[in-house]
Amino acid sequence: GESVGLHLPTLSVQEGDNSIINCAYSNSASDYFIWYKQESGKGPQFIIDIRSNMDKRQGQRVTVLLNKTVKHLSLQIAATQPGDSAVYFCAERSLKTSYDKVIFGPGTSLSVIP
Amino acid sequence: KAGVTQTPRYLIKTRGQQVTLSCSPISGHRSVSWYQQTPGQGLQFLFEYFSETQRNKGNFPGRFSGRQFSNSRSEMNVSTLELGDSALYLCASSQTGMNEKLFFGSGTQLSVL
């Protein structure tokens, strides 16, 4: 029979615009959060991370915001470029458990319109 | 420095067979973890190895197993393959597996017919 799979959220943005990708995390004990980018045919690639004692962290063209009250994470990409087209995953883990597994969100597909 | 290397890149097997996938971590990395990626379930943790010891395991049946060698290279094995095992299997490495970002390989795409 037909299987019900994850419906990957899709975000389409115009080249040059800013992109905002949202993520709800599940475990209130998670205190370390990571964003990964996965391009077609490749494995996930680290973008930026943030610890729970921070609510904002900036990198090159990317900013991650963390709202622990509502367990929400967002990734902002400034001046989106065609090379940013990919699937973006948020991931969480607990630093208290040293080698706890990383839990990935379902992902968001970003499509940049030239 | 070379990245995480996974071999083979593609595999086609039939139901009931077994398969072994290989992963070479980044030089100096001693932690290797494995993930299964499918359109239906997303990225799911299989297991993590450090210094030849499995430290953590996900919720997968015993048909899925792995090991790590003294040079930190790792293999995972899936026995009695089922159609639902068709997936992209990703290996990731880090220096200690503790509180660090993961570096992923490009994966092995397994198709079970």
Side-chain angles (χ1 to χ4, degrees):
Chain A
E2 188 175 81
S3 63
V4 178
L6 285 173
H7 290 284
L8 209 59
T10 301
L11 176 66
S12 294
V13 298
Q14 205 73 38
E15 182 179 356
D17 287 351
N18 296 335
S19 303
I20 300 176
I21 301 171
N22 295 303
C23 175
Y25 64 92
S26 56
N27 188 355
S28 55
S30 294
D31 50 15
Y32 177 55
F33 305 90
I34 318 105
W35 281 99
Y36 286 92
K37 171 187 180 183
Q38 187 175 25
E39 297 173 281
S40 181
K42 298 183 179 180
Q45 179 185 9
F46 173 88
I47 301 173
I48 191 168
D49 58 1
I50 188 169
R51 299 197 176 204
S52 59
N53 60 352
M54 304 172 69
D55 52 23
K56 180 179 179 179
R57 190 167 188 215
Q58 289 184 291
Q60 189 177 12
R61 281 203 306 119
V62 294
T63 300
V64 55
L65 298 177
L66 174 63
N67 185 332
K68 295 181 287 294
T69 303
V70 294
K71 294 195 286 187
H72 183 268
L73 202 61
S74 68
L75 177 71
Q76 300 178 1
I77 304 173
T80 313
Q81 303 167 359
D84 295 327
S85 293
V87 176
Y88 289 81
F89 294 94
C90 66
E92 59 182 295
R93 70 186 299 178
S94 170
L95 299 180
K96 300 178 189 67
T97 309
S98 298
Y99 37 85
D100 200 3
K101 60 187 179 185
V102 178
I103 300 171
F104 285 84
T108 295
S109 178
L110 175 65
S111 179
V112 181
I113 305 163
Chain B
K1 190 183 257 192
V4 177
T5 305
Q6 291 189 246
T7 56
R9 187 73 178 89
Y10 300 96
L11 262 179
I12 300 176
K13 293 286 187 179
T14 56
R15 279 181 298 175
Q17 288 187 309
Q18 75 163 15
V19 67
T20 299
L21 313 181
S22 179
C23 172
S24 294
I26 291 172
S27 178
H29 286 192
R30 295 169 64 192
S31 169
V32 173
S33 51
W34 289 88
Y35 289 80
Q36 182 196 65
Q37 186 174 28
T38 61
Q41 299 296 323
L43 273 155
Q44 291 191 293
F45 174 79
L46 279 156
F47 26 66
E48 188 258 357
Y49 288 88
F50 180 83
S51 292
E52 302 177 66
T53 300
Q54 185 183 90
R55 296 195 298 192
N56 207 344
K57 189 176 189 305
N59 297 324
F60 279 83
R63 299 186 296 107
F64 291 81
S65 63
R67 59 177 176 169
Q68 187 182 34
F69 302 94
S70 58
N71 62 358
S72 294
R73 191 177 70 85
S74 177
E75 289 181 346
M76 69 162 281
N77 184 278
V78 188
S79 62
T80 320
L81 283 166
E82 301 177 0
L83 296 179
D85 296 332
S86 295
L88 179 66
Y89 290 88
L90 291 160
C91 165
S93 77
S94 65
Q95 288 186 327
T96 67
M98 296 165 61
N99 317 332
E100 303 156 302
K101 63 186 180 185
L102 302 175
F103 293 85
F104 283 86
S106 294
T108 294
Q109 183 67 54
L110 172 65
S111 297
V112 182
L113 307 178

